[in-house]
Amino acid sequence: MYSSRHYSFRPFDFQRTYLRRQRTPKWRCRSSLKFSSLELPLLPFNSNEVLVPSESKTLHLYEARYLALLEEALVQKKMFVHFVLDPISISDSGGEASFAARYGCLVNIESVERLDVGALVSVRGIGRVKLAGFLQSEPYLRGEVKPVQDIGVDSANEISSKVTQVKEALGNLNSLEIKLKPRKDELLQTRLANALWWAEKELELDCDEAFVPSLAERISFAALQPISGSSQSELYNLQQEKLRAMDMRDTLKRLDGSLKLISQNISMVAAKLAIQSLGMS
């Protein structure tokens, strides 16, 4: 099927498990949509694989249907949708779980490395989307998606001030993280620095601007990156923070959450550096 370098998950056969229950789907007409919509390939992941805007991930695609998905995405807009299958119920009779398509994230393909078996595909989360309807199930999923953005009700000055605080805090955390001894398979640039760099740059994407979050919204997601050498419990806690952030529609609230997370990570990295220094002495 496919695999990820940064996360591990069990391959999930969405077509067999989910689509067979959708025998009478309710389709929505494009003209009834309030916002713009896109028709794109869909790539399903398990619930521990949520991708947030600004986050990067490398996938190893090797199954024929997902290589076909890749080719379509490259020919069109270099985009597809990363989404999570969230279990919602289990049938008492058949013992089978039902799933909801949640936490959709529009992704941009940044690079492709062809391999003897499949391809390594580096992608970047752009913005949240929700699934309006399935258009195709074979050989891979395609669907119509609509953009999801925060609701702008906060003071622009208050948000600007909070964005500055988050950027400064991320800089402090990054300065500490780069002092940690990296594993051999880790990048020289931290995931935090990479996410913040992307969030701040001027984006040039081949899609309606409604799909591109504001600068403040992008930065509010930038702190949700794994720290070098994170334990399984730390990665699990980060996953829960990512799920909460994807559900939020309030930029200021997410920025506040990011500041709290950064503060916790600074304490964690400082403790690891103290242990590291003891080992080197």
Side-chain angles (χ1 to χ4, degrees):
M1 192 177 179
Y2 46 81
S3 63
S4 163
R5 280 186 167 181
H6 302 299
Y7 305 88
S8 61
F9 63 93
R10 183 175 61 187
F12 192 93
D13 196 329
F14 181 82
Q15 283 88 338
R16 292 181 182 177
T17 307
Y18 183 80
L19 287 182
R20 66 181 179 183
R21 297 186 179 87
Q22 311 302 310
R23 295 182 180 178
T24 57
K26 296 180 179 180
W27 300 100
R28 300 182 65 180
C29 178
R30 289 178 62 90
S31 61
S32 68
L33 295 177
K34 184 177 179 180
F35 299 104
S36 302
S37 64
L38 287 173
E39 295 180 2
L40 291 170
L42 311 173
L43 192 58
F45 289 81
N46 287 321
S47 56
N48 64 339
E49 286 288 320
V50 65
L51 183 77
V52 300
S54 80
E55 184 178 6
S56 62
K57 176 187 283 191
T58 299
L59 305 171
H60 180 197
L61 303 182
Y62 51 85
E63 192 173 332
R65 55 180 168 170
Y66 295 111
L67 291 173
L69 179 154
L70 172 63
E71 294 307 321
E72 179 187 337
L74 290 173
V75 167
Q76 294 195 14
K77 300 174 180 291
K78 290 190 176 180
M79 294 180 185
F80 61 86
V81 174
H82 178 298
F83 75 100
V84 164
L85 293 171
D86 199 16
I88 54 177
S89 66
I90 297 179
S91 169
D92 292 334
S93 58
E96 294 182 341
S98 295
F99 294 84
R102 301 184 63 193
Y103 305 116
C105 188
L106 179 66
V107 302
N108 177 240
I109 298 173
E110 294 190 325
S111 67
V112 177
E113 179 184 348
R114 303 289 180 175
L115 305 174
D116 291 339
V117 180
L120 288 179
V121 185
S122 296
V123 300
R124 173 82 62 177
I126 304 299
R128 292 170 293 171
V129 295
K130 64 179 179 181
L131 185 63
F134 290 105
L135 305 175
Q136 169 185 306
S137 61
E138 296 293 344
Y140 52 83
L141 295 171
R142 290 184 77 254
E144 183 176 17
V145 295
K146 299 192 298 181
V148 175
Q149 291 191 11
D150 288 342
I151 301 171
V153 295
D154 299 305
S155 163
N157 290 335
E158 190 175 7
I159 289 181
S160 178
S161 174
K162 198 70 68 173
V163 164
T164 299
Q165 293 179 48
V166 168
K167 288 167 60 177
E168 290 176 351
L170 282 172
N172 293 335
L173 174 56
N174 183 67
S175 296
L176 284 176
E177 187 184 355
I178 59 178
K179 296 177 182 178
L180 288 173
K181 279 187 174 180
R183 297 194 308 263
K184 292 182 179 180
D185 61 341
E186 288 183 332
L187 301 175
L188 294 178
Q189 184 185 47
T190 68
R191 303 285 293 276
L192 285 171
N194 183 269
L196 183 60
W197 165 81
W198 179 87
E200 290 189 288
K201 76 173 188 176
E202 184 176 349
L203 302 182
E204 297 181 2
L205 300 170
D206 185 16
C207 66
D208 191 291
E209 63 181 9
F211 286 89
V212 182
S214 67
L215 172 64
E217 185 174 336
R218 298 199 302 270
I219 289 178
S220 73
F221 281 103
L224 299 166
Q225 314 297 325
I227 302 298
S228 300
S230 293
S231 65
Q232 287 301 311
S233 63
E234 289 164 348
L235 290 174
Y236 174 80
N237 291 335
L238 174 62
Q239 181 71 13
Q240 300 311 302
E241 292 293 337
K242 289 165 69 175
L243 293 174
R244 282 190 284 271
M246 289 290 279
D247 282 330
M248 285 182 190
R249 301 293 298 277
D250 186 327
T251 305
L252 192 60
K253 186 176 180 180
R254 192 182 304 105
L255 287 167
D256 283 332
S258 292
L259 284 172
K260 182 178 179 180
L261 177 63
I262 294 168
S263 177
Q264 293 170 350
N265 284 337
I266 286 176
S267 298
M268 177 189 71
V269 173
K272 290 184 177 183
L273 285 172
I275 296 172
Q276 179 176 293
S277 64
L278 289 174
M280 295 174 63
S281 60

